[in-house]
Amino acid sequence: MTTTPRTRWGRAALWLRFYVGRSVSLDAETLRLRRWPARERAAFIASKTAALPAIQAGRPADVRAGDVLFRATSAVDLGTFQSCLLDVHDEIVVGGVLDGIEAPVVVDVGANVGQFAAAIRTFVPGARIVSVEPDPQTHAKLAHNLGAMGGARCHQVAVGERREVLTLHRHHVSVMATLRPSDVEDYDPDHTVEVDVVPIDGLTADLERVDLLKIDVEGFEVEALRGARETLQRTRYLLIEVGLGREASGANLEALALVRELVPTARIVRFGRPLGGVEDPICQDVLIALQA
């Protein structure tokens, strides 16, 4: 049987190849961001370049993007942060998703160490951030990055349809931690942690509105949406990762069908950059407008 790149390396290698191996390419893309002042773009790349030796030596380093200070502890942290800057610019800023809103509310589910939240704050300094990350080790890094921003809060829980305790399967690439591990990925059965699972509705009950709800929970998207029925009714935009490479429900067309079922007015307004590249995409973000 022929072994494909996907089965040889899996998504972990694609993360490394796409987000880290393309560092120079990402810098070139960063320089063309027209809604980010040229001086700040150049300062970010200089800050990233200065941080690389420490990160490559296994030490944490702070990277500045505008007024945001983001601490990276690995090359993947740094690469995903830079990619988030590109994606937030193209999907959120250029699209005007948060324009004209005073202190927009952004709920970041599957926050990892705060890459997406930091990117949002880079372009929308007044945004109120609510981040959700279940892994206690990763959450500690998230709390540090959100603490440096101010005006943000974070919850150390996973999300699902109901309150329960489930096993989180960790991965050496922390952004791939999941409640639903894949047989083709390198998940060590001994490298797990029990985490509390709560519905998104419980986390947002005190919010009158949500301007942007981002969900990236590595194959548990359908369950997350089922626990967000009330939240979706008062959410303006949903940004969710979908993919066809996962066997179970998760982030695939079932998630889109469920969104339409819960919010009949929902419509897709933009697709983000595909992970793995356009030649071999395995998942990508979909931006959905929920209010007519």
Side-chain angles (χ1 to χ4, degrees), residues 51 53-61 72-74:
I55 292 173
Q56 290 171 345
R59 301 191 305 273
T73 60
S74 70

Side-chain angles (χ1 to χ4, degrees), residues 5-27:
R6 184 176 300 175
T7 57
R8 285 201 305 269
W9 302 318
R11 293 184 72 229
L14 285 173
W15 276 106
L16 292 171
R17 184 181 70 186
F18 183 66
Y19 287 117
V20 181
R22 292 183 63 242
S23 180
V24 174
S25 177
L26 289 175
D27 287 349

Side-chain angles (χ1 to χ4, degrees), residues 185-284:
E185 298 297 345
D186 184 21
Y187 288 100
D188 183 347
D190 296 325
H191 194 45
T192 62
V193 62
E194 299 301 297
V195 297
D196 291 327
V197 178
V198 301
I200 290 175
D201 285 339
L203 300 175
T204 65
D206 64 326
L207 301 175
E208 293 184 5
R209 73 174 198 279
V210 176
D211 296 298
L212 175 63
L213 170 61
K214 170 255 186 182
I215 300 178
D216 181 358
V217 287
E218 293 298 311
F220 217 65
E221 280 76 11
V222 167
E223 290 81 359
L225 289 168
R226 287 174 177 160
R229 296 172 186 269
E230 296 177 4
T231 303
L232 291 174
Q233 303 306 314
R234 60 183 191 279
T235 296
R236 296 178 62 246
Y237 286 92
L238 169 68
L239 183 67
I240 188 167
E241 184 186 82
V242 297
L244 299 178
R246 296 165 184 159
E247 296 177 1
S249 57
N252 54 30
L253 296 181
E254 184 179 348
L256 296 181
L258 179 58
V259 171
R260 188 61 184 267
E261 175 187 331
L262 296 175
V263 186
T265 58
R267 67 188 191 283
I268 294 173
V269 295
R270 188 180 296 268
F271 288 93
R273 105 184 37 230
L275 176 61
V278 294
E279 300 83 5
D280 187 26
I282 56 175
C283 59
Q284 69 187 120

Side-chain angles (χ1 to χ4, degrees), residues 142-163:
L142 168 67
H144 174 88
N145 280 325
L146 292 186
M149 296 180 212
R153 73 186 196 211
C154 53
H155 300 274
Q156 187 186 315
V157 293
V159 298
E161 187 172 5
R162 64 185 67 86
R163 287 185 174 272

Side-chain angles (χ1 to χ4, degrees), residues 53-250:
I55 292 173
Q56 290 171 345
R59 301 191 305 273
D62 291 335
V63 180
R64 182 169 293 281
D67 293 331
V68 171
L69 201 62
F70 175 82
R71 174 161 294 178
T73 60
S74 70
V76 173
D77 288 352
L78 185 55
T80 52
F81 175 44
Q82 187 170 10
S83 186
C84 279
L85 287 169
L86 296 170
D87 292 342
V88 166
H89 176 275
D90 292 348
E91 298 168 17
I92 307 302
V93 178
V94 174
V97 170
L98 301 178
D99 284 359
I101 305 171
E102 184 177 355
V105 178
V106 177
V107 178
D108 179 10
V109 179
N112 196 246
V113 299
Q115 299 95 322
F116 182 81
I120 286 286
R121 272 294 185 84
T122 298
F123 296 107
V124 190
R128 290 181 287 163
I129 306 290
V130 179
S131 291
V132 183
E133 171 55 46
D135 188 303
Q137 296 176 359
T138 305
H139 183 271
K141 299 175 184 178
L142 168 67
H144 174 88
N145 280 325
L146 292 186
M149 296 180 212
R153 73 186 196 211
C154 53
H155 300 274
Q156 187 186 315
V157 293
V159 298
E161 187 172 5
R162 64 185 67 86
R163 287 185 174 272
E164 56 186 327
V165 175
L166 293 176
T167 300
L168 180 72
H169 298 261
R170 288 166 162 158
H171 196 281
H172 63 275
V173 177
S174 66
V175 291
M176 292 176 59
T178 180
L179 296 174
R180 178 175 285 118
S182 168
D183 292 338
V184 301
E185 298 297 345
D186 184 21
Y187 288 100
D188 183 347
D190 296 325
H191 194 45
T192 62
V193 62
E194 299 301 297
V195 297
D196 291 327
V197 178
V198 301
I200 290 175
D201 285 339
L203 300 175
T204 65
D206 64 326
L207 301 175
E208 293 184 5
R209 73 174 198 279
V210 176
D211 296 298
L212 175 63
L213 170 61
K214 170 255 186 182
I215 300 178
D216 181 358
V217 287
E218 293 298 311
F220 217 65
E221 280 76 11
V222 167
E223 290 81 359
L225 289 168
R226 287 174 177 160
R229 296 172 186 269
E230 296 177 4
T231 303
L232 291 174
Q233 303 306 314
R234 60 183 191 279
T235 296
R236 296 178 62 246
Y237 286 92
L238 169 68
L239 183 67
I240 188 167
E241 184 186 82
V242 297
L244 299 178
R246 296 165 184 159
E247 296 177 1
S249 57

